[in-house]
Amino acid sequence: MKPSRKFLSLPIISLQEGQQLGYVKSLILDAGKKSLAAIVVDPKGFFKDQRIIPYSKVVSVGDDAITIDKESHVEKSSSIPELLDLVKEKLTIIGTRMVTESGKTLGTAEEYYVDPSTGQITEIEISGGRFE
């Protein structure tokens, strides 16, 4: 499992073109699926306006880079309607107060962990411990 913060600032490499396309600026979450929906590419890099990569297009997440098949997988968020609502929602886990169904506060989410191969959120670290 990989902590979400380890994704941030990783270079994004296109395997087909063999070049760096930018860096990971942020992650787009899908609460319904409890997974990463997309990666936001840093606009200061290769592209001038905000571009995203659907997580399904990610080939691999390594310690030093994220790889995708080809540059055309990097798209404007407006051209992917199913992700547009998630982009606007700006869902975040870190800093969120965690409460049980019965109303007991567990603490504040400090980090979440992702299975790099599937994008599934597997654990949440709550001020002092982990919750699976």
Side-chain angles (χ1 to χ4, degrees):
M1 297 313 111
K2 190 174 196 74
S4 66
R5 287 187 174 108
K6 294 282 187 181
F7 282 80
L8 302 179
S9 298
L10 280 177
I12 301 166
I13 309 292
S14 163
L15 296 173
Q16 190 173 74
E17 290 83 10
Q19 64 182 357
Q20 182 174 325
L21 304 175
Y23 295 92
V24 177
K25 179 179 180 184
S26 62
L27 303 172
I28 299 170
L29 305 174
D30 185 334
K33 295 180 180 175
K34 298 178 185 146
S35 66
L36 297 183
I39 293 172
V40 178
V41 179
D42 189 344
K44 294 177 197 151
F46 193 75
F47 302 104
K48 296 194 178 13
D49 52 352
Q50 180 173 291
R51 303 286 179 131
I52 63 173
I53 302 167
Y55 200 80
S56 61
K57 304 292 185 185
V58 171
V59 172
S60 179
V61 178
D63 291 335
D64 301 317
I66 292 176
T67 58
I68 63 172
D69 280 329
K70 52 189 170 185
E71 183 180 340
S72 63
H73 290 320
V74 181
E75 303 179 53
K76 289 183 179 179
S77 54
S78 58
S79 67
I80 311 173
E82 62 271 17
L83 291 178
L84 190 55
D85 289 339
L86 296 174
V87 171
K88 289 178 182 176
E89 194 175 317
K90 295 183 181 176
L91 179 67
T92 184
I93 294 176
I94 296 173
T96 303
R97 191 176 75 173
M98 306 302 286
V99 180
T100 65
E101 286 183 12
S102 62
K104 180 182 180 212
T105 299
L106 298 173
T108 303
E110 294 183 350
E111 179 60 280
Y112 60 97
Y113 294 80
V114 177
D115 179 344
S117 61
T118 64
Q120 289 294 306
I121 297 169
T122 58
E123 299 175 27
I124 299 174
E125 188 173 319
I126 302 173
S127 50
R130 284 189 190 172
F131 178 73
E132 294 186 32

